[in-house]
Each structure stands twice: as C-alpha cells, then as structure tokens.
Amino acid sequence: MSKAVAVLALGVWSVCGSLSIDAKSAKPQAQQAASIHYDEAHRVFRIDAGKITYAFGVNGDGALQTLYWGSRLAQDDPVGPAVPPKSWSSFDSIGANTPQEYAGWGGPITVMPDLKLHFADGNRDLILRYDSYKIDKDGLHISLRDAKANVTVGLRYTVDGDTGIVGRSARIENHATQALTIDSAAAASWNLPPATDYSLRYLTGTWASEWHVRTRQVTPGATVLESRRGSTGDENNPWFAIERGGAWNESHGRVWFGALAWSGSWSIRIDQDVLNQVRVTGGYNPFDFSYRLKPGEALDTPVFYAGYTDAGIGEASRLMHQFETTRVLPQAPRPKLRPVLYNSWEATEFKVNEPEQERLAEKAAKLGVERFVIDDGWFGARNSDHAGLGDWTVNREKFPNGLKPLIDKVHGLGMSFGIWVEPEMVNPDSDLYRKHPDWVLNFEGRQRTEGRNQLVLNLARDDVRDYVFDALDQLLSKNDIQFLKWDYNRNWTEPGWPQLSPEEQQKVYVVYVQHLYDILRRLRERHPGVEIESCSGGGARVDLGIMGLTDEVWPSDNTDPSDRLSIQDGFSYAYAPAVMMSWVTGSPNWVNERQSSLDFRFLSSMQGGLGIGAKILEWTSAEDATAQHYIAAYKDIRATVQQGRLYRLLSPQERAPYSATESVAADGAQAVLFAFLRQGQEAQAYPTLYLQGLDPNARYRYRSIHGEAMPGTPAVASGAYWMSHGIDLKLRSDLDAAGLVFERVGS
Ligand code: DGJ
C-alpha cells in the first residue's frame, strides 16, 4: 500500500520522501506533532494532530466524505473506505445526505450545501467531485471539480500540531467561458458522528451585555448563528461548541468546537438531518449575498477553525486560547504581555484637552500605569458624537500645539502613548462627508439611516480604503504613537454600492472586510511598533479574523465589575485572557449605579489585561495606595493570568452568586485564584474551591493579594492537597472578593 505522508515538526511541514513512502517507514505516531497521510489504496486522507485524528475519503461517487473526527487513533487503526449512507427511500436517494466535506448544490443533495451558484444560462446544478491533492508546507490541498460546469473548488486544510485545531477554507474558481454568480459560499462543513443527544453551546448578547453563554439541544432541523450586520456583531459570536450527552462538564465529555475567522456578515449553521447526522456549516452569510465571478476569477472563503477534545468544555476553551496565542495573534507564538493602561473615556468623554490629559497622565504614572490612551474627542470638530468623524486632524482648540506636548509628557513619564480612532465611519457633519457624500454605503435615492449620528464609509471602494489608510499612516508617521484603539460603533444599513452594476454590488460584503484587513496589515508593516485594539462599542467585533491583525480586544462597554464577571466568563469560552482588556472604573458604575469597593473592581479587572478608566484625579491618597498595591501585584501575576491555562471553577452565568477562576502558568510554577461573591448567602460558607492543573507532587505556598482563607489553611501544601482537599475562603458579604497566588516552592 502506498501512502503520502507529511509531518509537522516545530510548526514547519516537511513532506517525507516523494509523497509516496511506505507506511512502515513513517515515524511512529508518538514522535509526530502532526501528520497528513493519503492512503491511495482506500482513497482516505488522514490528519493526526495533537490529540485528534481527522479523516475523510473519496467515496464511490467521487464525493469527498467525512469518515472520522475525534480522539487520536493508533496509526494502524483502519479508517474508511468511504461509503455513502444507504438510500432510505425515494425521497432520500443515495448521495442526498452524504456527509460531504464540501458539497455543491446539485444532483440529489437535500442537506445544506457549502456552495450554491448559478450561471447566466440558467444552470444551477453543481456536482463537486474529487480531482487531485497536494501536501506541502502549508498543509493539505484538495481540488474538487465539476467538469461539465468547469468550476473548481480548492479546499485547504491547515493543521496545528499542538492543539489539533484544523483550519479549513475554500477557493472557488470559474474556469467556464461565461460568468457565474455565487449565491452562498461556506468555508467548510464539519460532520459529527450520527447521534441524537448533542447539545450546542453558543454566545449571544447585545451592547453592554455581551457574551452570554446559552445551551440548546441539537434537534432535527437547523440552528443558525449569524450576523447580518456587516460586521461580526455581538448578537451571536462566530464560535460554537457541541457536546455529546448534554452533561456539559468543565473537565469531562466529548466536545467539538470551532470559530470562524471573519469580521463581516457570517453564518454558522448546525443541522441535524433525517439520518441524525449533524453538520456544522460556516462561512459567508448567505443572506443578501451574491458574488459574481467572471471567467478566470476566484473567490476565497474565510477560514473555519475547529477542534475536538474528550476532556470537557474547559479543555476546549484552553485549546482555543493556546491556538490564539501561539498561532493567530500577530505576535504569535510569543505575544507581548498587555501593559497596564489608562484610558480617558469614562473620565473625560469628549472633553479632552492638553492640560487635563497631562494631569491624568501624571497621576496614572504614579499609580504604576504603563500605557496612557486618549480616547474619543481629540480630532476635528468632535465635541460630541454628532460631528467630526472622518476628519483625522488634531483639534487645535483642545490641543493648540498638536499632540506632541502630551505625547512627550507621557513618554517622559515612562509610559507608551495610545490614541482612539474610528476610521470606518463618518459623521454627516464633517468635512469628509461634505466633500464625499458618495463615499458611504447607500442605495441611490433612499434614506441613509444614521446610528450614533454616523454613517458607514464604503471601505470596499479603493478610494475610501486609500483615504483611510493614508489618514492613519499620517497620524502614526507624524506622531510617536504606540497603540491604536480602533473603534466601530454601528451596524450596516442600506448596504448599496451605487457606483457598481446591480449584479456586482453585493460583493461589498466580501471586499469591505478584505480592505479592512488590508489596511490593518499594511499599517502593521509600516509601523511595526504600534499595537492595535479591536473595539466595536464593546465586544461586537471579536473573531479570529480581526484577532490575526490586532493585539487585544475590548469585550464590553459594561465596566460594572459584577456584570463583568459573566461577560469575562462568556468571553473565555472562545477567546484568550491574553487579549481581553478590562478596566477599573468609577463607583457607582454608570451602567447600573451599582456601588462596589475598589478591591472588588481591581480583582475583577485583573482576570484579563488590566486597565484603569476611572476619574483618578478625584481619587484619595488611600485609593491611590490601593491602586498601587493591585497594579504592583498584577505585574507579578500577569504572565500567568494572560497566557497561562485558565480553569473556570465556579460559573457566574445566569446571575449566579459565585464566580471563581484559576490560571496556571505555562511552567506550572505559579497559579492565581480569583474568587467573587456577588451576593452573600445568609451565613453560608463560600463553596470549597478545588484547584486544578497543579503538579500533585510539588509543594505550593499561597499568599494573598486580597482576602483570606479560613483559619487552619496551611501556608504550604502539595499540589495534590490544593486540588483534592481544596481551599475555603472567608467570603461572606455582598460584592466580596479574594485574590490568592500559589507559588511552587523547592524543586
Ligand atoms: C465606544 C467604545 O467602546 C468606548 O470605550 C469609547 O471608546 C467610545 N466608543 C468613544 O466614542
């Protein structure tokens, strides 16, 4: 039997031999982080990576059929060959329900296709059949073809040897002599083993209330998670997890999970078909979608990443976190730690000016802040959200000498300098709009709906893309700036592009986002020292696409430290604490008038990248001292919190009274425990917390940042003790919190 084998070592694929080496000569599985095999005899492709095996084959019809996705199999375990499910009746003929890797809509197919298109001559039938494959340093490439229609689909599989996360995307090419129009295009379908006891976990929310975790049974029919808003949105996030059995345990259970790397309208659809087969199809949102391909043209889909674990949803999240920090972020595999930042928004809103920002900077530096960020209000005629967006020149009434004096001051205080921008938007009351009213998304002659008094620039236009790039490039070239907070505060409405023919206009859904990515990529190249935060009125643009081009994200405008516990918990299902910024702001909080101690606010914010957004000029010397204590303590633990392994010990979802997390450093030498009590429960004790992920044989000494363990708790004990006996904390009153650090002692 001949096989093609490629092996991934240290992130680089090396293809062994001539793509046709004997199976016996392949390295033993244990030594391979990842490998891709093609078994020619059975026409089976097999990916082994991390703790997973993923396999699919070419069936008798020539369709590419999923065979297995789960825990890693032994190298000589048989997988395949691929045989399509039997015909159940004349309503479901052979091929109608085949769990295809990438199905075109055509022939007998009744399930949701990955690709649907039509030609100018009226043909809408597309039958994609296996054509060829290639394995190279980027992974596995498969070519599917409809020979009659002259359309090819190139499937690409990338593999992460550490986490077992596979990335899949498709390139659709028109080789015909007539144009075709794509009606819907997914990146991939992920097929799960047939079963009737799956349940789905997903994320939903709205402004200032993002990241709620919801669970629902997977039943016959479809569940659609989506954004039709033009951007990622916070109504749903493009992430899913599906568990077998419905028990949803943090450390047990089979979980399939994934996320789409796309920052425009998207859809992830979970179908259970008539044969109880479950598939997850994700890509461009088919709603209002249309993309015309002239002969010779191609469309690339986003990448849909997915993984598997049999160690519960907690491990699924940790695999995502590891994948994001080591593979996705621009600075991967070793992203810089997030500095402690100060942001002016909640303190001064639009009323920014040089003297007050300088005073804020002086105070921030005294507290231990490392980055000072001036938020909205510094440019154009921006005195409220009614004017100025689009005019990226310094407001000389607020900063008579430009930004230089403030930037020099901030640098002199030993901090880096950051600034807010919202480059994709324009206020009708701006010089830019007065000059270029045709630059916004609109349908000719129709109303232009405003959101926060602003319109969306059509970034898909080359001239708009160039304007935005140049404005930001100038800003960064003329000023010594280290950080951009990139905001985006509304949805699309009336998404027309009147300058194009009606058949071409809907490609705005694709080209807009491609141009956004292009701007970010070029800015990073031109200004490699500049870091970027993705903010969208909070967390409405967090996804693996934008994450590949930004360094951190703003999960929510809701800075109430108690609400924030649920927000951060939900965020952590899909995304890493390494990118999750969190500010300490004022009490009572603007969202809900809730009052909380500075201790509670700091401990809540220390679960991610710590920031301060409070009116610090009004802080007393006691409050300054408290802040100094926490900021210094945070610097000692931030590597563990941001880039360690996160364990969710007590869930704050559904307004639960408790919340506790533990982060363990990559080398196991430190663990950080945060515990919160939102509401005292009569005189009841706080639940015992069992630590996880420690070395059972090592000894750990604990110390407190804030809060106490119950009397009798040993100062030093084994990892086994902390994990099995656990720790009891003295938390009794409303909005109480504790932060403890466990350090490994001795060898
Ligand atoms: C929305 C952001 O989420 C806030 O943090 C702030 O930057 C405002 N926009 C400024 O307009």
Side-chain angles (χ1 to χ4, degrees):
M1 185 200 310
S2 67
K3 289 194 176 190
V5 179
V7 177
L8 179 75
L10 298 174
V12 182
W13 287 101
S14 54
V15 180
C16 299
S18 61
L19 279 190
S20 176
I21 64 169
D22 191 273
K24 285 184 202 132
S25 68
K27 285 188 194 169
Q29 179 183 303
Q31 292 172 21
Q32 295 174 10
S35 64
I36 302 173
H37 297 246
Y38 178 53
D39 173 347
E40 253 172 39
H42 298 100
R43 305 186 85 191
V44 169
F45 293 92
R46 177 171 159 167
I47 295 168
D48 294 281
K51 294 185 176 165
I52 69 112
T53 296
Y54 185 87
F56 53 90
V58 182
N59 69 22
D61 296 337
L64 212 56
Q65 182 176 333
T66 309
L67 291 170
Y68 176 78
W69 182 24
S71 292
R72 194 156 174 163
L73 303 176
Q75 190 122 27
D76 50 6
D77 280 339
V79 188
V83 180
K86 286 207 179 75
S87 165
W88 174 243
S89 73
S90 57
F91 296 98
D92 292 292
S93 48
I94 291 200
N97 304 298
T98 303
Q100 292 192 53
E101 286 283 291
Y102 199 88
W105 186 70
I109 188 168
T110 53
V111 296
M112 183 68 186
D114 296 279
L115 179 61
K116 182 176 180 311
L117 51 78
H118 67 268
F119 283 98
D121 66 5
N123 173 40
R124 307 198 305 279
D125 186 50
L126 183 75
I127 300 180
L128 296 172
R129 293 296 177 241
Y130 172 74
D131 185 46
S132 60
Y133 82 94
K134 189 174 83 178
I135 300 172
D136 65 15
K137 63 178 181 30
D138 297 324
L140 170 62
H141 309 260
I142 305 250
S143 176
L144 305 177
R145 173 181 288 275
D146 181 319
K148 234 174 173 178
N150 236 336
V151 171
T152 60
V153 176
L155 303 183
R156 182 169 167 218
Y157 295 75
T158 58
V159 184
D160 177 27
D162 295 327
T163 59
I165 290 179
V166 175
R168 293 180 52 195
S169 58
R171 180 181 178 82
I172 302 141
E173 288 181 53
N174 181 10
H175 300 280
T177 49
Q178 56 173 330
L180 65 82
T181 301
I182 297 172
D183 305 308
S184 72
S189 276
W190 300 95
N191 293 295
L192 275 59
T196 53
D197 60 348
Y198 285 117
S199 71
L200 165 72
R201 220 158 237 208
Y202 62 102
L203 295 162
T204 179
T206 182
W207 177 73
S209 179
E210 300 91 338
W211 308 105
H212 294 279
V213 181
R214 294 279 183 268
T215 307
R216 67 161 72 157
Q217 179 102 30
V218 176
T219 53
T223 298
V224 180
L225 310 175
E226 64 173 345
S227 164
R228 297 190 303 272
R229 297 164 181 255
S231 71
T232 320
D234 46 25
E235 189 173 352
N236 292 151
N237 185 270
W239 169 87
F240 75 92
I242 294 180
E243 195 254 7
R244 179 87 194 268
W248 286 108
N249 190 292
E250 281 288 321
S251 46
H252 305 289
R254 298 170 200 268
V255 180
W256 292 261
F257 58 94
L260 197 60
W262 186 242
S263 312
S265 288
W266 59 272
S267 135
I268 295 179
R269 191 185 148 113
I270 298 93
D271 282 278
Q272 181 174 320
D273 69 18
V274 293
L275 304 178
N276 292 330
Q277 300 178 125
V278 171
R279 57 173 61 70
V280 183
T281 306
Y284 295 126
N285 194 326
F287 176 82
D288 197 37
F289 187 85
S290 165
Y291 196 101
R292 202 169 138 86
L293 289 185
K294 294 194 198 102
E297 288 185 341
L299 171 67
D300 288 300
T301 72
V303 182
F304 196 3
Y305 293 98
Y308 169 81
T309 177
D310 57 13
I313 183 68
E315 183 63 10
S317 297
R318 285 186 289 278
L319 289 168
M320 284 290 290
H321 300 169
Q322 185 183 347
F323 182 68
E324 288 154 9
T325 43
T326 59
R327 301 278 178 237
V328 179
L329 285 169
Q331 298 181 18
R334 272 175 288 282
K336 281 196 199 122
L337 293 173
R338 300 296 85 219
V340 178
L341 68 72
Y342 180 79
N343 178 290
S344 65
W345 176 244
E346 289 197 26
T348 54
E349 294 199 345
F350 299 98
K351 291 184 230 71
V352 292
N353 61 59
E354 190 181 305
E356 191 177 14
Q357 293 297 311
E358 288 194 358
R359 284 204 304 281
L360 282 166
E362 277 165 13
K363 183 70 174 281
K366 267 194 207 135
L367 300 178
V369 166
E370 298 159 311
R371 171 170 288 167
F372 184 84
V373 183
I374 175 170
D375 208 279
D376 201 348
W378 60 268
F379 53 90
R382 188 73 169 167
N383 297 315
S384 72
D385 58 17
H386 286 262
L389 277 181
D391 301 337
W392 298 108
T393 46
V394 180
N395 181 314
R396 291 284 168 166
E397 280 166 28
K398 299 176 182 182
F399 296 92
N401 309 303
L403 293 170
K404 192 169 183 324
L406 176 61
I407 294 179
D408 287 349
K409 174 89 185 180
V410 166
H411 288 163
L413 290 163
M415 298 183 289
S416 60
F417 181 81
I419 198 159
W420 179 96
V421 287
E422 191 176 2
E424 299 153 78
M425 300 288 169
V426 65
N427 285 119
D429 185 0
S430 66
D431 292 342
L432 184 69
Y433 189 73
R434 282 183 279 274
K435 202 165 162 201
H436 297 291
D438 54 331
W439 274 14
V440 298
L441 294 175
N442 74 96
F443 291 125
E444 221 151 45
R446 306 286 302 178
Q447 180 183 342
R448 299 176 177 198
T449 304
E450 293 178 21
R452 206 192 189 203
N453 313 300
Q454 62 199 50
L455 297 168
V456 184
L457 287 170
N458 183 358
L459 211 60
R461 290 173 54 130
D462 289 353
D463 47 6
V464 175
R465 176 200 57 195
D466 294 346
Y467 169 81
V468 168
F469 175 80
D470 288 344
L472 294 171
D473 184 38
Q474 294 270 325
L475 178 68
L476 296 177
S477 303
K478 289 189 181 149
N479 300 285
D480 194 359
I481 291 171
Q482 287 71 50
F483 174 77
L484 284 184
K485 173 177 172 180
W486 185 302
D487 209 344
Y488 179 93
N489 279 299
R490 57 158 294 179
N491 300 318
W492 289 14
T493 50
E494 301 99 17
W497 186 350
Q499 293 75 25
L500 295 194
S501 68
E503 313 79 70
E504 300 276 347
Q505 286 195 22
Q506 281 153 292
K507 74 178 186 191
V508 69
Y509 286 105
V510 175
V511 182
Y512 182 109
V513 181
Q514 287 173 341
H515 281 183
L516 169 66
Y517 290 168
D518 174 69
I519 294 169
L520 285 164
R521 197 171 293 120
R522 284 194 291 144
L523 283 175
R524 295 195 78 97
E525 276 162 22
R526 285 278 278 268
H527 307 279
V530 176
E531 293 192 333
I532 304 174
E533 176 180 276
S534 173
C535 168
S536 177
R541 190 155 68 187
V542 182
D543 59 78
L544 294 187
I546 205 83
M547 199 178 274
L549 292 159
T550 54
D551 303 274
E552 60 184 55
V553 300
W554 180 232
S556 180
D557 274 357
N558 185 338
T559 53
D560 171 73
S562 176
D563 286 359
R564 196 82 187 188
L565 296 175
S566 322
I567 287 170
Q568 295 176 173
D569 176 80
F571 181 96
S572 79
Y573 277 78
Y575 302 110
V579 298
M580 183 185 78
M581 298 308 292
S582 189
W583 304 344
V584 172
T585 59
S587 171
N589 190 276
W590 69 271
V591 174
N592 47 23
E593 298 290 317
R594 185 180 281 132
Q595 303 210 17
S596 57
S597 67
L598 200 47
D599 301 298
F600 192 92
R601 281 178 271 156
F602 261 101
L603 291 169
S604 172
S605 293
M606 284 162 74
Q607 292 185 306
L610 176 63
I612 303 193
K615 296 182 178 175
I616 49 175
L617 293 177
E618 295 170 11
W619 276 3
T620 62
S621 52
E623 286 172 313
D624 290 351
T626 302
Q628 282 161 343
H629 160 70
Y630 283 108
I631 291 173
Y634 179 74
K635 289 175 184 170
D636 272 352
I637 58 163
R638 76 170 135 196
T640 302
V641 168
Q642 292 181 21
Q643 296 181 8
R645 290 168 59 76
L646 175 73
Y647 296 88
R648 291 181 290 256
L649 304 185
L650 292 177
S651 167
Q653 291 298 320
E654 310 294 342
R655 299 192 168 83
Y658 311 114
S659 174
T661 61
E662 179 205 356
S663 306
V664 181
D667 64 1
Q670 187 184 65
V672 181
L673 177 68
F674 292 111
F676 303 88
L677 178 60
R678 280 170 161 163
Q679 206 176 13
Q681 303 293 301
E682 294 88 30
Q684 286 171 21
Y686 195 82
T688 300
L689 297 174
Y690 300 103
L691 270 63
Q692 295 185 42
L694 302 180
D695 175 353
N697 301 316
R699 296 185 67 74
Y700 295 83
R701 177 190 302 278
Y702 93 86
R703 62 185 164 85
S704 166
I705 296 173
H706 179 78
E708 287 174 61
M710 292 302 268
T713 304
V716 182
S718 67
Y721 177 93
W722 297 121
M723 294 193 288
S724 303
H725 177 281
I727 185 164
D728 294 302
L729 300 175
K730 247 192 195 173
L731 291 174
R732 287 271 283 278
S733 56
D734 291 357
L735 295 181
D736 207 352
L740 305 183
V741 186
F742 295 77
E743 309 275 7
R744 194 168 57 199
V745 290
S747 53

